Amino acid sequence: MDKKQPAPSGKGKPTPPAQLKPAGKVPAAAQSAKPAAPSRKAPSTMVPKARSRKAQPILGKTKVHAKVAPVTAAKPKPPIRPKATTPLERLASHLRSARTVALDDPTPTPTPTPVPIPTSGLVLWLRADEGVTVVDSSNHVSTWLDQSGAGNYVTATSGLQPVLVDSAINGLPAIDFSGSEIMSTNGTVLAADSFTVFLIAIPQSAITLYSESTSGTQGQSGQLYALGSANPNNSAAGACISVGTNGASIFEYASGYMPPLAVFSGGISTSCPLTVVYDSKTPTIYYCGVAEVTGLTSPRSDVYAPTQVGAADYGNFVGYIAEVLIYNTALNDSDRGTVESYLQGKYDCLPAPTP
């Protein structure tokens, strides 16, 4: 406990203040003793009693009245810093530490949630719960931003804009295509020959299923293209994915050429992921993580990944699309399974709501 400055004796120079001593247990006599009055009249000053060891010390500025040193509260086990050799230095060091914590240690910023899927080779990632721009009270969508970081977003012009439905699948939003809308990238080739496409789509109409072929134009009728490609107008072809309640088909599109290279016949009525893996121009269709069919190898010089959402030149999709991912490589089974598990967990393989 600090001692008060003694009153002047009236002879000679005033007695210098006593050296501060380390805080410790306050004797009972000191707690009850009153400070001696100064020789000259001074404002009345109340000196607080010393706090018990269980009380928390109060840090900050201390007010001093009439040159009376305040009673410093006892602090349990004060930290001893190597360079602080006197009680005053130790107190100053402690106050500096407390101030540093208050200023430099705010509420920690939450660590961003790690992306639950492989990101290497991811060139397009459309999510209905992120990056969707609506332009009116009817929720018409003008822009759907790419979450992959590659900048390959899709847009729709006025009159061809689908509608965002806030709670469509497992409480999550989806984009509603009614058979006349289309969204497109800027025409950049996303991938060729070997690529992987993941699609969460719930169709509301059936499609025409054909036998697999590497020639013909069967894809020009009876199809609902959830993902499409523009005509490359050369020896290459663009992949198009037609999805109906009765199955899915992979068509390739070019001038005078639109055959089905892979055909899956089976019910598609839930939000399970539909996956297409092109490996060296040969497509394989997976549904709910199960390989359903491996199709024919394309005869074209190159096969490009889809660049359109909701339509192709010969058919528009009818139903909900909630998520699209495209990788510029044929993912191995482990990475493919990771993405499918993420999608299945997110959408819970639920049927679409009744329109």
Side-chain angles (χ1 to χ4, degrees):
M1 172 182 293
D2 296 336
K3 294 183 179 180
K4 294 178 58 66
Q5 177 180 338
S9 63
K11 296 180 180 182
K13 295 182 181 180
T15 304
Q19 178 70 25
L20 290 176
K21 296 183 179 180
K25 185 174 182 181
V26 180
Q31 294 183 11
S32 60
K34 295 182 179 180
S39 60
R40 60 186 178 83
K41 187 175 181 180
S44 176
T45 304
M46 180 177 291
V47 179
K49 293 183 179 180
R51 295 178 181 269
S52 65
R53 285 184 177 275
K54 294 183 179 180
Q56 295 296 322
I58 300 176
L59 303 179
K61 295 183 178 179
T62 303
K63 295 183 179 179
V64 180
H65 299 278
K67 298 183 180 180
V68 178
V71 177
T72 305
K75 177 175 173 58
K77 297 181 180 180
I80 299 176
R81 301 178 183 274
K83 295 184 179 180
T85 58
T86 67
L88 187 58
E89 289 175 347
R90 288 198 294 271
L91 177 61
S93 177
H94 175 74
L95 292 175
R96 283 195 299 269
S97 299
R99 184 174 183 274
T100 299
V101 171
L103 295 177
D104 299 338
D105 189 26
T107 302
T109 302
T111 302
T113 302
V115 175
I117 59 174
T119 56
S120 177
L122 183 60
V123 294
L124 181 67
W125 187 5
L126 303 177
R127 298 171 47 179
D129 57 349
E130 293 285 348
V132 177
T133 301
V134 297
V135 295
D136 55 32
S137 59
S138 297
N139 280 358
H140 284 100
V141 178
S142 63
T143 306
W144 198 354
L145 296 180
D146 176 17
Q147 303 302 310
S148 75
N152 295 311
Y153 59 88
V154 295
T155 59
T157 58
S158 179
L160 299 176
Q161 297 169 340
V163 174
L164 174 67
V165 178
D166 291 328
S167 182
I169 305 172
N170 199 24
L172 296 170
I175 309 297
D176 183 15
F177 292 83
S178 61
S180 60
E181 305 86 359
I182 183 172
M183 304 191 77
S184 304
T185 66
N186 59 5
T188 301
V189 174
L190 300 178
D193 298 345
S194 293
F195 52 87
T196 305
V197 179
F198 297 92
L199 175 66
I200 294 293
I202 303 182
Q204 295 179 349
S205 298
I207 60 175
T208 301
L209 298 175
Y210 295 97
S211 298
E212 294 175 354
S213 176
T214 57
S215 62
T217 56
Q218 299 90 321
Q220 294 181 2
S221 64
Q223 304 307 310
L224 306 173
Y225 291 107
L227 298 176
S229 293
N231 184 348
N233 292 312
N234 54 31
S235 60
C240 303
I241 303 176
S242 179
V243 184
T245 55
N246 58 332
S249 297
I250 310 303
F251 291 88
E252 291 182 357
Y253 179 38
S255 298
Y257 174 83
M258 205 168 191
L261 277 78
V263 178
F264 161 52
S265 177
I268 298 180
S269 59
T270 71
S271 56
C272 280
L274 179 68
T275 307
V276 176
V277 178
Y278 255 89
D279 190 358
S280 299
K281 299 192 291 186
T282 302
T284 298
I285 300 175
Y286 298 80
Y287 185 58
C288 290
V290 178
E292 299 292 349
V293 62
T294 295
L296 307 176
T297 300
S298 175
R300 310 296 289 191
S301 61
D302 294 291
V303 180
Y304 300 140
T307 56
Q308 299 170 334
V309 180
D313 282 357
Y314 291 96
N316 293 64
F317 184 68
V318 178
Y320 294 93
I321 296 178
E323 199 147 347
V324 179
L325 299 95
I326 299 179
Y327 288 81
N328 63 5
T329 184
L331 293 185
N332 58 39
D333 288 344
S334 177
D335 286 344
R336 175 183 55 78
T338 297
V339 179
E340 289 169 339
S341 294
Y342 152 72
L343 294 171
Q344 287 175 319
K346 181 176 181 178
Y347 296 101
D348 203 22
C349 293
L350 297 176
T354 301

